[in-house]
Amino acid sequence: MNRVISPVHSLNGSVQAPPDKSIAQRAALFSLLTDKESVICNYPQAADPQTALLCIKSLGAKIARRNGNLIITGTGRAGLPKNAGTIDCGNSGTTMRLLAGILAGSGTGAILTGDTSLSKRTMKRIIDPLRKMGAEIRAAEGDVAPLQFLPGNPLTGIDFELPVASAQLKSCILLAGLFTDATTVIETVPSRNHTEKMLNLRTEQKAGGLWIHTSRDHPVPVLDITIPGDFSSAAFWLVAGAIYPGSKIVVKGTGLNNTRSGALEILKRMGADITIENEFTTGSEPIGDLRVVSSALKPTIIQPEEIPNCIDELPVLAVAMAFADGVSVFRGAAELRHKECDRIDAVARLLRSAGVAVTEFDDGLEIHGNPGLIPKPALFNSYHDHRIAMASAIIAGRGSKESAIEHAEAVNVSYAEFWNHFDKLAGRG
Ligand code: S3P
């Protein structure tokens, strides 16, 4: 589906951030690991979290609705089936990689498949350590899905230092570790910490990094959780509010976990006028309303160590950089090439289509910003990637002529209400 984007004057009003898909998918998968009832409030309708529900259902979880909440009764670690057939992870890298840890740990025979995009993403990073722990896994050529897990024996615990700052890899090994005598994951560069927080895992800060411990003796907590608003989705409005003159947007109920919210600091140092209001904590996650008012932006350099903390926000941060008064750069982001599409290439193309000068590196971009930029009209290709579709929409609406976004339905992966919210804020709702 193509979505036509007409020029937008300013964006005004408030929207509720959609529920966080990272936390929601974990809530579903972790609920499978206990045979007690987990209660999940504010579970998202978006495609990836719905995929996670279908996956746990095919492994034996019972899912019901009560008073608007999702009630999940899992199988417990010991109750997982010996064979589960084919399980479709759709577009979701998080579901595939975390589920891989559970299947390897429980010795469940299964085949994990994904859509065209997910079937191109490397699974080598999880396959290698899982095999080291004793799992028998067959992958398609190039270490991609379909991934076949052979029914297996108990895994051996490992001490595993993460070779790449990836919360999906970290979580995969921690979940497999829940079926071992003892497993430790050592994280030298922090990545999102939802898994260790939600599973209440023991952590130790040491000189070389964070040591996270897991074992079969660790009790899996029974969840009673409200899914916070998704900071990564809110980031689109933070950038839009900053770059559309005369805008004032409030994004309500946004998760502010400090392993996720790096884009907030980056936008603030670029001169974005963002304030946090009505802060509170639910479970272990801080939440607040984010108010953004349009302002002039300065260029910035995002350092490699900042990348894991803003990895999903880089496409829309690049749009902000296009309106800054000078040259901005981010490097150390080679991981972006392994997302739902090659996001370095996709962002370079989207900015060039809009008339922005960009230099592409293996691991980042140099963006020549211009506060007077009037984006050229274009047919923006989303590459079926939700974040590229939304970043394209934000730049396109700032133009003076109509543009269109190809495969605009990609937003449903994380933010099904995106187009409604855009219309509402633009006064067209
Ligand atoms: C995610 C972790 C990140 C992120 C992805 C969701 C998660 O990926 O890009 O959208 O839920 O753990 P990596 O951990 O592979 O960097």
Side-chain angles (χ1 to χ4, degrees):
M1 171 194 104
N2 283 3
R3 175 97 192 183
V4 173
I5 310 284
S6 310
V8 173
H9 248 337
S10 60
L11 294 167
N12 283 286
S14 69
V15 289
Q16 191 76 35
D20 187 296
K21 83 178 171 78
S22 270
I23 297 177
Q25 289 177 97
R26 284 169 171 75
L29 295 169
F30 301 169
S31 299
L32 176 68
L33 300 179
T34 152
D35 57 7
K36 309 274 181 322
E37 266 189 13
S38 298
V39 181
I40 308 173
C41 177
N42 199 32
Y43 197 86
Q45 285 306 318
D48 277 5
Q50 291 298 319
T51 295
L53 290 183
L54 291 177
C55 291
I56 62 165
K57 232 172 149 180
S58 49
L59 286 162
K62 303 265 177 301
I63 303 170
R65 287 210 162 264
R66 196 189 300 147
N67 305 326
N69 297 330
L70 215 53
I71 311 294
I72 301 180
T73 312
T75 59
R77 274 173 277 191
L80 282 157
K82 266 280 147 250
N83 278 292
T86 299
I87 303 178
D88 183 0
C89 299
N91 189 248
S92 177
T94 301
T95 291
M96 183 172 278
R97 293 190 173 123
L98 272 59
L99 204 49
I102 294 174
L103 295 175
S106 61
T108 299
I111 298 175
L112 294 185
T113 59
D115 69 4
T116 317
S117 145
L118 184 54
S119 304
K120 287 187 195 143
R121 295 174 66 180
T122 180
M123 294 295 145
K124 184 170 166 53
R125 59 184 56 183
I126 58 162
I127 293 171
D128 287 350
L130 289 176
R131 279 186 181 147
K132 219 167 156 196
M133 296 171 85
E136 275 198 74
I137 305 170
R138 292 186 190 142
E141 203 187 318
D143 291 311
V144 294
L147 297 182
Q148 184 180 11
F149 292 78
L150 302 179
N153 297 319
L155 297 186
T156 312
I158 49 169
D159 289 348
F160 179 64
E161 183 170 327
L162 291 166
V164 48
S166 162
Q168 293 178 352
L169 173 58
K170 168 172 70 175
S171 304
C172 170
I173 305 307
L174 289 171
L175 286 165
L178 279 177
F179 297 81
T180 66
D181 280 349
T183 286
T184 300
V185 174
I186 300 153
E187 182 179 62
T188 51
V189 180
S191 63
R192 66 192 67 192
N193 61 8
H194 305 306
T195 296
E196 45 275 44
K197 279 175 104 176
M198 291 170 73
L199 289 175
N200 206 10
L201 297 176
R202 188 166 65 83
T203 59
E204 289 175 280
Q205 192 64 59
K206 299 199 183 189
L210 185 71
W211 291 43
I212 312 165
H213 304 286
T214 177
S215 76
R216 69 167 63 87
D217 294 332
H218 179 80
V220 174
V222 181
L223 294 177
D224 184 352
I225 184 178
T226 298
I227 309 294
D230 185 4
F231 180 83
S232 302
S233 301
F236 292 97
W237 305 126
L238 298 183
V239 170
I243 66 171
Y244 284 62
S247 296
K248 193 199 278 182
I249 302 176
V250 179
V251 193
K252 291 189 178 161
T254 308
L256 296 171
N257 179 311
N258 65 4
T259 62
R260 289 286 295 282
S261 58
L264 199 56
E265 294 320 309
I266 293 164
L267 285 170
K268 279 187 180 171
R269 75 175 181 241
M270 291 178 76
D273 180 354
I274 302 173
T275 42
I276 302 175
E277 298 168 350
N278 304 322
E279 250 187 294
F280 66 100
T281 299
T282 172
S284 51
E285 297 288 345
I287 295 189
D289 298 342
L290 294 173
R291 177 183 296 274
V292 56
V293 178
S294 53
S295 60
L297 294 182
K298 298 183 283 235
T300 193
I301 295 177
I302 302 181
Q303 300 298 336
E305 60 273 16
E306 293 181 281
I307 296 290
N309 207 330
C310 66
I311 187 80
D312 289 343
E313 294 73 42
L314 284 169
V316 77
L317 285 172
V319 171
M321 290 169 167
F323 289 88
D325 190 9
V327 179
S328 295
V329 183
F330 65 85
R331 301 292 300 262
E335 272 298 296
L336 264 196
R337 294 202 183 271
H338 306 290
K339 298 295 175 187
E340 284 82 333
C341 73
D342 175 345
R343 286 185 179 159
I344 292 185
D345 179 61
V347 171
R349 284 170 193 267
L350 100 77
L351 292 178
R352 286 188 188 122
S353 307
V356 181
V358 180
T359 307
E360 185 174 335
F361 308 105
D362 285 354
D363 63 347
L365 293 175
E366 178 182 274
I367 297 164
H368 293 251
N370 170 12
L373 174 70
I374 306 205
K376 290 199 301 201
L379 175 60
F380 290 94
N381 192 338
S382 70
Y383 302 94
H384 302 272
D385 180 328
H386 53 133
R387 300 201 199 283
I388 300 300
M390 292 187 274
S392 303
I394 300 300
I395 200 163
R398 195 52 178 68
S400 61
K401 295 205 174 99
E402 255 181 19
S403 283
I405 316 294
E406 251 180 336
H407 306 299
E409 70 285 350
V411 305
N412 294 336
V413 159
S414 60
Y415 195 169
E417 288 294 299
F418 178 79
W419 299 116
N420 289 343
H421 284 180
F422 200 3
D423 283 345
K424 179 184 161 191
L425 293 170
R428 297 169 181 155

